[in-house]
Amino acid sequence: MMPLVLPALFFISAVSAATSGLHPVVLLPGYTCSQLDARLTDDYRPFTPGCGIPKQGRGWFRLFENFTALQEDPGLLPCYADQLRLVFDPVAGDYRNLPGVETHVVAFGTTRGFGSNNPAQKNGCMERLVKALEGVGYREGANLFGSPYDFRYAPAPPGLPQRAFSTFVSSLRLLVEHASKRNGNKPVIIVTHSLGGFFAMEFLNQSPLPWRRRYVKHFLTLSLGIGGPPGILQVVASNPGTPPSSLLDSVLSFGNRSFASMLSVLPSPNVYGHTPLVITRAKNYSADDIPEFLSAAGLSDDVVARYRTRGLPVTLNIRAPLVPITCINSVGIPTVDKLVYWDGNFSVEPQVVYGDGDGTINLATVLALKRVIGDDPHQDYFKSVFIPNVTHDGMISDDFALKRVVGEIIEANQRL
Ligand SMILES: *[C@@H]1O[C@H](CO)[C@@H](O)[C@H](O)[C@H]1NC(C)=O
Ligand SMILES: *[C@@H]1O[C@H](CO)[C@@H](O)[C@H](O)[C@H]1NC(C)=O
Ligand SMILES: *[C@@H]1O[C@H](CO)[C@@H](O)[C@H](O)[C@H]1NC(C)=O
Ligand SMILES: *[C@@H]1O[C@H](CO)[C@@H](O)[C@H](O)[C@H]1NC(C)=O
Ligand SMILES: *[C@@H]1O[C@H](CO)[C@@H](O)[C@H](O)[C@H]1NC(C)=O
């Protein structure tokens, strides 16, 4: 009898969600908002002696981000950082976890795997947006779904291996189809914050156009720019001089800046042309000079080569997703436009030249959305919304912004 009960239950909740009239929503959070679990096998050879022993063969644990565990035992930091870094496998021609480290995102399909147990990060990962959506009738698992993703990896250009990203693409495709089926076959609304928008855009462009048109009602991006903010260059340049204060700092320094995604969010020549972004007495670096900049900042020739073969081509190939899109951005907050390392020493704090933006992404990358997407003659519907004086994370946590965001989601629901 049991097998009959389940489909019946599904049928009832599918009907109630369908009659609420809402299109299902799938959320993708920003950078570092997806939690990752890991397990270590005997193949794991820790960079720091002793890191493997307590956990090898002991099953899954929260690798990113268990703030509590790192508070209780700060000695774990280099171990977690080592286990979180990626390596490039020259035989596979692709990024991998370290041998002996297995990882997966937590609670795929739901929003429960968003965020960390760090109290300071409480509202930066869509928690308040989820609450606001519940306020207008959305229900987790019925018409509200979450797509965490492994933010360390990145899409590769056509023809190159991208195992982790391909896994993400197939999982998200199944999730979107499931969300649609549970809601009377209504197409879904994909809502993203920050880097989630880049992952979703690549996901859409790697999915067949008829599939996109069948399953995607609307694509709504929050705080997304195209072409990478100059502020990222400071993160890349900073040398691991001082002891890292967080796991992420630690990976970006100790982990030797190993994330594939780092190379996909660098400023694009399409957006900045020859404008100097990093200024030194001897030489200026524009987006055209990123390879020289990476070398000068101490990254290895291998990393620079991968920027040329993997990161840059994806950046240059960003294009209209050809589904209805609304881009909500904020302006009016001082945002890094240029960095001045006058003596050419990237280990010192740069002097910062500020421009307009949301404090994280600058106006130039936001205006590029219209050029790249809005002006594409095949892109039928493009709407750009600006909210003044809201920060990058305020977009998904300030009451005023949330009200506007939810209003746009309702409007997307009602568009014919
Ligand atoms: C985080 O670490 C704490 C303390 O070590 C542990 O009790 C807790 O279960 C961990 N959380 C998760 C989600 O694994
Ligand atoms: C990472 O950088 C440190 C310090 O520069 C260096 O000693 C170490 O060998 C590097 N680790 C890896 C795995 O490349
Ligand atoms: C670098 O750019 C600055 C600001 O645009 C400019 O004033 C300066 O002449 C440039 N320096 C070099 C070495 O090209
Ligand atoms: C760069 O600055 C760092 C930090 O102030 C200093 O330790 C280092 O010696 C400087 N390097 C050069 C080449 O001047
Ligand atoms: C944004 O904030 C600044 C400084 O608080 C204020 O001067 C300005 O009027 C605000 N702009 C808008 C459109 O609210």
Side-chain angles (χ1 to χ4, degrees), residues 202-221:
E202 287 299 315
F203 160 76
L204 289 170
N205 283 329
Q206 292 191 18
S207 300
L209 188 55
W211 186 93
R212 280 180 249 167
R213 296 227 154 116
R214 157 68 183 86
Y215 284 106
V216 182
K217 166 81 174 161
H218 210 97
F219 178 25
L220 203 135
T221 71

Side-chain angles (χ1 to χ4, degrees), residues 276 279-284 338:
I279 294 171
T280 73
R281 184 192 288 122
K283 181 174 168 47
N284 287 344
K338 295 180 199 302

